[in-house]
Amino acid sequence: MKTILVAGGAGYIGSHMVALLVEKGYDVVVVDNLCTGHWQAVKGAKLRVGDLRDGNFLDQVFSEFPIDGVINFAAYSLVGESVTNPLKYYGNNVAGSQSMLTAMKNHGVKKIVFSSTAAAYGEPEKQPIEETDRTEPTNPYGATKLAIEGMLKWCDRAYGIKYAALRYFNAAGANTDVGIGEDHNPESHLIPIVLQAALGKRDHVGIFGDDYPTPDGTCVRDYIHVRDLASAHLLALEYLDKGGESGSFNLGNGTGYSVKEIIDTARKVTGKPIPATVEPRRAGDPSVLIASNKKAQEVLGWKPERGLEQIISDAWTWHSSHPDGYGK
Ligand code: UDP
């Protein structure tokens, strides 16, 4: 494997994937329509701007480069928006992956690592969540990702395209060596919001509910460093290259932190007061989501290396040096 196609490589997690592949000496081609991604985040790779749903565009890219494997991050990912506009999510996420798989089939590319989500599980039946647990998404975002996992399974059977679907828990952090990080507009994720409050860009953080059945009443999530996520993708690609079986894998640290614990850790890391107030619950938030990462450890040989303080301190380095993200 030499040349890797990263779809959505200008986005938050995709750009960290590109940085790792470039560091490891791969030739990297990024396709991205830049509707939410940033060209400035693509460092050391070729960028072709276009939409996955455009089959001619993908045909051109697959003809131009000798692609050995694909990593697909390209998707809309706002849970709330997916509830109010499900067709936008099915139309982009599912149709984009279908178009990518069609191009792979036509060009004889047989390996894909797919960016899936813990939202595929919906309300968990137990903690920590294992890959064999019930998958009943409670929003269209999770449903589109699960639908794509189904499409991958059938494409494996029919065309021999091998896949690893990686179900992320809460991605956070930044790559301070390369100078890339999280820049969403609007921002909805907890850690960047907390750090924007530390920077004075927001006057406070709203804690969405403190009456959950958790030790301090706030929701518990499993935060995983984006660089650890990227490492898992590379291991998954290498695993498929060695003939590994297709499958789905959880990617999380296996440890849960509450919203209040995140804010407290951020206060410690930044030295800033970070005002916070309790607000009503956000619709659709499960109280606890913690990954079992046993399968990824055993099958892929993955071990997350960075804990919560490192996640927040790397994110802080990014946000404090790029208060306006990548800028205009
Ligand atoms: N959260 C919060 N205030 C915010 C943003 C998020 O209290 O301004 C909570 C949210 O309810 C959830 C956790 O922080 O329990 C993580 O939310 P995020 O949107 O970062 O990720 P999700 O778990 O929804 O994928």
Side-chain angles (χ1 to χ4, degrees), residues 170 188-191 193 205-208 219 221 223 259 282 285 289:
N170 290 64
S188 65
H189 295 112
L190 180 63
I191 288 178
I193 283 177
V205 179
I207 297 173
F208 297 155
C219 286
R221 293 289 180 272
Y223 295 86
V259 174
R282 185 171 71 178
D285 267 339
L289 289 175

Side-chain angles (χ1 to χ4, degrees), residues 103-235:
M104 289 175 66
K105 171 171 99 60
N106 291 342
H107 294 266
V109 178
K110 299 284 189 192
K111 293 177 283 283
I112 181 167
V113 176
F114 172 64
S115 138
S116 189
T117 172
Y121 294 107
E123 193 63 47
E125 36 182 348
K126 63 166 177 51
Q127 303 291 342
I129 301 168
E130 292 174 289
E131 290 82 352
T132 45
D133 287 358
R134 177 186 64 203
T135 47
E136 254 177 49
T138 49
N139 56 64
Y141 167 66
T144 60
K145 293 285 184 171
L146 191 61
I148 297 164
E149 288 198 25
M151 183 160 56
L152 288 165
K153 185 182 85 182
W154 293 111
C155 288
D156 179 1
R157 297 218 186 145
Y159 317 123
I161 295 175
K162 296 292 167 193
Y163 72 90
L166 306 183
R167 295 175 178 165
Y168 316 150
F169 283 66
N170 290 64
N175 184 327
T176 54
D177 299 335
V178 176
I180 53 176
E182 195 163 5
D183 178 6
H184 296 120
N185 190 14
E187 187 53 75
S188 65
H189 295 112
L190 180 63
I191 288 178
I193 283 177
V194 167
L195 297 180
Q196 285 172 353
L199 280 171
K201 292 183 67 84
R202 292 175 188 259
D203 55 21
H204 75 286
V205 179
I207 297 173
F208 297 155
D210 69 347
D211 56 351
Y212 285 94
T214 60
D216 66 18
T218 65
C219 286
V220 170
R221 293 289 180 272
D222 182 334
Y223 295 86
I224 179 79
H225 200 293
V226 65
R227 295 184 75 167
D228 283 327
L229 283 186
S231 315
H233 289 69
L234 186 51
L235 288 168

Side-chain angles (χ1 to χ4, degrees), residues 1-11 13-32 39 41-49 61-62 64-73 100 178 180 230 233-234 237:
M1 277 193 310
K2 190 165 167 13
T3 306
I4 309 299
L5 179 67
V6 182
I13 305 174
S15 60
H16 286 78
M17 186 72 239
V18 171
L20 178 66
L21 289 167
V22 168
E23 181 193 319
K24 298 285 181 193
Y26 288 92
D27 291 338
V28 185
V29 182
V30 169
V31 294
D32 201 300
W39 60 265
V42 179
K43 302 201 179 186
K46 300 226 163 59
L47 172 65
R48 294 290 177 268
V49 178
V61 174
F62 277 84
E64 186 181 357
F65 300 100
I67 308 292
D68 296 307
V70 171
I71 309 182
N72 184 13
F73 297 95
M100 174 60 83
V178 176
I180 53 176
H233 289 69
L234 186 51
L237 202 57

